[in-house]
Amino acid sequence: QVQLVESGGGLVQAGGSLTLSCAASRTISSINTMGWYRQAPGKQRELVAQIFNRGSTEYADSVQGRFTISRDNAKNTVYLQMNSLKPEDTAVYYCQANTVPFGIYWGQGTQVTVSS
């Protein structure tokens, strides 16, 4: 098992930046995939970005070029740097650890609100 705790959300004006952090309860170097998802009111949860255990990354088209996912294995932490934020980025952001076949784990979420 792994517990995940997100932090760094908040209220920001359009065009601003935020950095989200996801602290894991154990080493993440062996975890297949770490990812950030988001869920806006009335919408399904969607993938924002993910980083694989060898360091490669993937991004949703809507955030490509604006968001950067990274991991610090020494701190067991994954980050999401969000730049040029838009009102449509407003959502609850969740961290996920994919340890398949052992399990998929979620954090409690952190709210990001972007005002126009």
Tab-separated table of all heavy atoms in Angstrom, residues 42 77 84 106 116:
chain	number	residue	atom	x	y	z
A	42	GLY	N	-19.378	18.339	-12.160
A	42	GLY	CA	-20.228	17.817	-13.223
A	42	GLY	C	-19.494	17.093	-14.328
A	42	GLY	O	-20.118	16.697	-15.319
A	77	THR	N	8.285	12.200	-3.715
A	77	THR	CA	7.318	13.251	-4.040
A	77	THR	C	7.238	13.458	-5.547
A	77	THR	O	8.261	13.407	-6.244
A	77	THR	CB	7.708	14.572	-3.353
A	77	THR	OG1	7.745	14.371	-1.932
A	77	THR	CG2	6.704	15.672	-3.663
A	84	SER	N	0.588	29.433	-16.822
A	84	SER	CA	-0.420	29.982	-17.739
A	84	SER	C	-1.799	29.391	-17.465
A	84	SER	O	-2.498	28.954	-18.388
A	84	SER	CB	-0.006	29.723	-19.195
A	84	SER	OG	1.262	30.268	-19.469
A	106	TRP	N	-5.068	6.564	-4.537
A	106	TRP	CA	-5.397	7.965	-4.775
A	106	TRP	C	-5.163	8.793	-3.522
A	106	TRP	O	-5.337	8.312	-2.402
A	106	TRP	CB	-6.864	8.103	-5.166
A	106	TRP	CG	-7.230	7.463	-6.462
A	106	TRP	CD1	-7.680	6.196	-6.665
A	106	TRP	CD2	-7.196	8.078	-7.760
A	106	TRP	NE1	-7.920	5.981	-7.994
A	106	TRP	CE2	-7.630	7.114	-8.695
A	106	TRP	CE3	-6.826	9.345	-8.222
A	106	TRP	CZ2	-7.714	7.374	-10.067
A	106	TRP	CZ3	-6.929	9.606	-9.577
A	106	TRP	CH2	-7.357	8.626	-10.483
A	116	SER	N	-11.030	34.412	-13.579
A	116	SER	CA	-10.829	35.123	-14.853
A	116	SER	C	-10.643	36.609	-14.634
A	116	SER	O	-10.831	37.122	-13.556
A	116	SER	CB	-12.014	34.870	-15.772
A	116	SER	OG	-13.205	35.267	-15.141
